[in-house]
Amino acid sequence: MNANKNSIYKFPFEEYSSEAALSEQEQELIKKAREAAQDAYSQYSKFSVGAAVLLKNGEIITGSNQENAAYPSGLCAERVALFYAASQYPDVPVKKLVVTALRKQKPIKEPVPPCGSCRQVFIEWEKRFGQPFEVIMAGTRKIIKIKQAGWLLPFNFQADFL
Ligand code: THU
């Protein structure tokens, strides 16, 4: 008999209207992500993204999107930051990742949702280091905080399938 049951995927998230409600460390991460966005190489989309990754050893690694004339060869800010962090500190887990963006050099109001490929990398990182990390999507008018990056990608592909 066919199963005929609808399931709903839900996950909790926190929503804030101002950075003031976040910890000092989180505010510092947002500041660093914004600074990183200023150095983005985003001449094709003119959408400058900055990411700041807080590692378990207290280090903060930032990254920005790096575009290319051959568009798919570019890379998102989140993956630039995560790949660099893991290259420098291959055994240190990530605690938090903040993402933000600038449009026409001004911080955007809305939270920036990481793309699907970045979400897939988040899943790999949580598996790799055996622990979840928080994602903070920071706009100036709205900030969204998610306790486990993997929640952003239901039905994801993992190494167990190989
Ligand atoms: N981008 C990021 O860096 N991170 C995101 O979360 C969304 C998109 C970049 C990719 C591309 O350089 C530009 O933003 C426009 O898509």
Side-chain angles (χ1 to χ4, degrees), residues 21-113:
L22 300 175
S23 71
E24 267 180 37
Q25 189 179 48
E26 288 167 341
Q27 293 180 38
E28 173 72 8
L29 288 167
I30 294 175
K31 188 167 161 259
K32 292 213 154 141
R34 281 209 183 105
E35 285 166 5
Q38 275 161 11
D39 294 327
Y41 182 63
S42 53
Q43 61 164 326
Y44 301 103
S45 72
K46 310 232 180 328
F47 190 72
S48 299
V49 185
V53 171
L54 173 68
L55 298 179
K56 228 170 166 185
N57 63 6
E59 286 283 335
I60 296 173
I61 304 286
T62 59
S64 57
N65 52 330
Q66 302 295 318
E67 298 187 347
N68 196 285
Y71 289 6
S73 300
L75 197 63
C76 293
E78 297 92 316
R79 276 175 289 161
V80 168
L82 285 176
F83 292 168
Y84 181 74
S87 305
Q88 299 303 306
Y89 303 98
D91 301 319
V92 184
V94 171
K95 268 180 81 175
K96 291 172 199 262
L97 180 147
V98 171
V99 58
T100 191
L102 309 173
R103 205 184 279 118
K104 294 185 190 148
Q105 293 309 313
K106 278 195 174 160
I108 66 167
K109 294 183 191 129
E110 295 305 312
V112 186

Side-chain angles (χ1 to χ4, degrees), residues 76 78-79 82-83 97 113-128 133 135 148-162:
C76 293
E78 297 92 316
R79 276 175 289 161
L82 285 176
F83 292 168
L97 180 147
C115 80
S117 297
C118 287
R119 293 176 195 212
Q120 182 66 34
V121 170
F122 296 171
I123 298 279
E124 186 79 24
W125 253 234
E126 290 189 331
K127 272 258 167 187
R128 173 177 175 175
F133 65 88
V135 174
Q148 296 201 21
W151 289 342
L152 288 167
L153 192 64
F155 300 109
N156 53 72
F157 190 83
Q158 299 189 12
D160 329 352
F161 292 106
L162 296 173

Side-chain angles (χ1 to χ4, degrees), residues 137-156:
M137 308 175 200
T140 54
R141 298 261 175 86
K142 199 203 251 187
I143 299 157
I144 289 177
K145 184 161 149 183
I146 293 150
K147 290 260 177 243
Q148 296 201 21
W151 289 342
L152 288 167
L153 192 64
F155 300 109
N156 53 72

